[in-house]
Amino acid sequence: MEPDRLNSPSTSAITVEVLGHQLQFSQDPNSKHLGTTVWDASIVFIKFLEKNCRKGRFCPSKLKGKRAIELGAGCGVAGFGMAMLGCNVVSTDQVDVLPLLVRNVERNTSRILQTDPSSDSFGSIQVEQLDWGNEDHIRAVEPPFDYIIGTDVVYAEHLLEPLLRTLFALSGPKTTILVGYEIRSTSVHEQMLDMWKRHFEVKIVPRTKMDSKYQHPSIQLYIMSLRPLIVSDGNLPGAVDQQTDGAETEDEILKEDKSGGGIDMPDGGMSVEDEEVAIKLPNGTLTDWEVRRYGSTAARLLRDVKIT
Ligand SMILES: C[S@@+](CC[C@H](N)C(=O)[O-])C[C@H]1O[C@@H](n2cnc3c(N)ncnc32)[C@H](O)[C@@H]1O
């Protein structure tokens, strides 16, 4: 197997084809920072946007000029997808990640504008520092936003509360929150869903609505909006009493799906154990994406093997 087919420590760039453009995201998986790696949920997210942008809420005519913010952007894949569909995006992360993020944003923006200088579907994208829970950073980006997005930002228990606080502080009554992430810990996953369901209408994107190749049972996409009436519980300084007019809470993508092809998630999650059972190695050649995913599953299984 060629070494660059896995997202290995020596893979310095990930190429993703989106809407006919070869986007290239530099990464540094050797750094001690998680944000310098392109995570698979971000690829699932951008390919989901590509698949659903012909009609409905993600088509450029609906997104043109909308304000979007990406939290924990890392190499910037998901936010770049929203900019390609016309949004004015603020791509944010912690300070250590920003130089790589700026490089990726600049390189891909000039790539798109060079290929199609007259393209008016591309919105804009700027990079800012935003540490979750930091009120100065939050004020500086001028909330509220139409869209708040994040991929693979849910992975550690101690980050759940500052992330939720930040989502509140950046939201208005009509904000839509799009989150994509890979379930690595069922306990963090359950806590997150518990917390979010208390404050948001949470909808799971069925796998039939994702790109047929760029998906995986352990990677889920959620579409959320504030519940019509949020009563602040005092623990979340950003939370305010808000009323939605209901206009944005019905999601066309989810309404359209009558096939029942979604993930069976009776109470918020397919367990990691189920996922391992569901995976069968096919015969024959693997695509790059399959290689990445089998590598990732193997790494997770190995992590769980206790050597005594
Ligand atoms: C697993 S990486 C995901 C990166 C990128 N979204 C992707 O999917 O490829 C998690 C990201 O969250 C960011 N992050 C973690 N804690 C944060 C915090 N307290 N404030 C802001 N960003 C944070 C990290 O810097 C990192 O970029």
Side-chain angles (χ1 to χ4, degrees):
M1 179 191 310
E2 312 92 83
D4 62 354
R5 293 184 68 204
L6 266 178
N7 198 7
S8 75
S10 60
T11 312
S12 61
I14 299 291
T15 303
V16 196
E17 195 192 312
V18 181
L19 296 169
H21 295 280
Q22 294 284 326
L23 304 179
Q24 206 174 69
F25 295 91
S26 296
Q27 61 164 15
D28 177 11
N30 280 318
S31 92
K32 59 177 170 37
H33 208 293
L34 290 176
T36 61
T37 295
V38 172
W39 294 84
D40 288 355
S42 68
I43 299 178
V44 170
F45 185 100
I46 199 168
K47 295 299 283 187
F48 161 79
L49 289 180
E50 179 187 52
K51 176 168 169 150
N52 291 282
C53 72
R54 272 159 211 89
K55 59 182 169 92
R57 63 165 20 176
F58 295 114
C59 75
S61 63
K62 295 250 172 69
L63 289 182
K64 189 71 192 161
K66 297 273 191 223
R67 294 186 74 223
I69 185 163
E70 178 168 21
L71 300 177
C75 298
V77 177
F80 202 81
M82 295 296 279
M84 286 177 83
L85 298 181
C87 288
N88 298 324
V89 178
V90 185
S91 183
T92 71
D93 209 310
Q94 294 172 308
V95 70
D96 291 350
V97 182
L98 300 188
L100 183 60
L101 180 56
V102 167
R103 205 161 98 215
N104 281 321
V105 162
E106 286 177 351
R107 176 204 276 167
N108 287 303
T109 304
S110 56
R111 206 171 261 248
I112 287 196
L113 297 180
Q114 269 165 21
T115 323
D116 184 6
S118 64
S119 162
D120 64 353
S121 56
F122 191 78
S124 65
I125 181 159
Q126 73 186 72
V127 171
E128 300 291 345
Q129 178 182 1
L130 195 155
D131 296 335
W132 302 336
N134 182 314
E135 289 177 15
D136 292 337
H137 293 173
I138 289 169
R139 211 172 302 117
V141 294
E142 299 180 8
F145 285 84
D146 298 300
Y147 286 92
I148 305 173
I149 66 168
T151 58
D152 245 336
V153 287
V154 181
Y155 54 93
E157 200 175 327
H158 71 280
L159 294 174
L160 292 178
E161 199 271 339
L163 178 60
L164 182 62
R165 214 148 24 101
T166 307
L167 291 176
F168 270 116
L170 294 170
S171 294
K174 292 191 175 178
T175 302
T176 300
I177 301 169
L178 305 170
V179 177
Y181 85 104
E182 175 158 3
I183 303 172
R184 296 190 177 82
S185 151
T186 37
S187 120
V188 172
H189 174 69
E190 277 157 17
Q191 283 182 57
M192 179 212 77
L193 273 181
D194 251 25
M195 257 181 171
W196 289 7
K197 279 180 181 167
R198 258 183 277 142
H199 303 284
F200 302 107
E201 304 275 359
V202 181
K203 293 175 178 174
I204 301 165
V205 173
R207 285 179 59 204
T208 50
K209 296 295 172 192
M210 298 182 191
D211 182 277
S212 56
K213 174 175 160 192
Y214 292 97
Q215 57 168 271
H216 190 270
S218 65
I219 298 178
Q220 296 183 352
L221 299 180
Y222 294 94
I223 300 186
M224 307 195 287
S225 51
L226 279 171
R227 283 192 176 282
L229 188 64
I230 297 288
V231 179
S232 171
D233 59 10
N235 293 324
L236 293 163
V240 286
D241 294 354
Q242 299 196 77
Q243 209 81 53
T244 68
D245 62 7
E248 297 277 328
T249 56
E250 279 298 299
D251 182 51
E252 287 174 53
I253 290 206
L254 301 168
K255 268 196 303 187
E256 275 170 19
D257 188 63
K258 308 265 193 300
S259 65
I263 304 171
D264 180 21
M265 300 184 70
D267 195 16
M270 174 191 256
S271 74
V272 174
E273 290 76 20
D274 291 343
E275 172 217 335
E276 310 302 2
V277 171
I279 291 172
K280 289 197 181 61
L281 279 167
N283 296 322
T285 318
L286 298 179
T287 64
D288 289 0
W289 175 251
E290 286 164 339
V291 172
R292 275 177 76 100
R293 293 308 312 164
Y294 291 128
S296 150
T297 302
R300 198 137 30 84
L301 288 170
L302 284 172
R303 191 199 57 197
D304 292 339
V305 172
K306 298 205 174 33
I307 300 168
T308 50

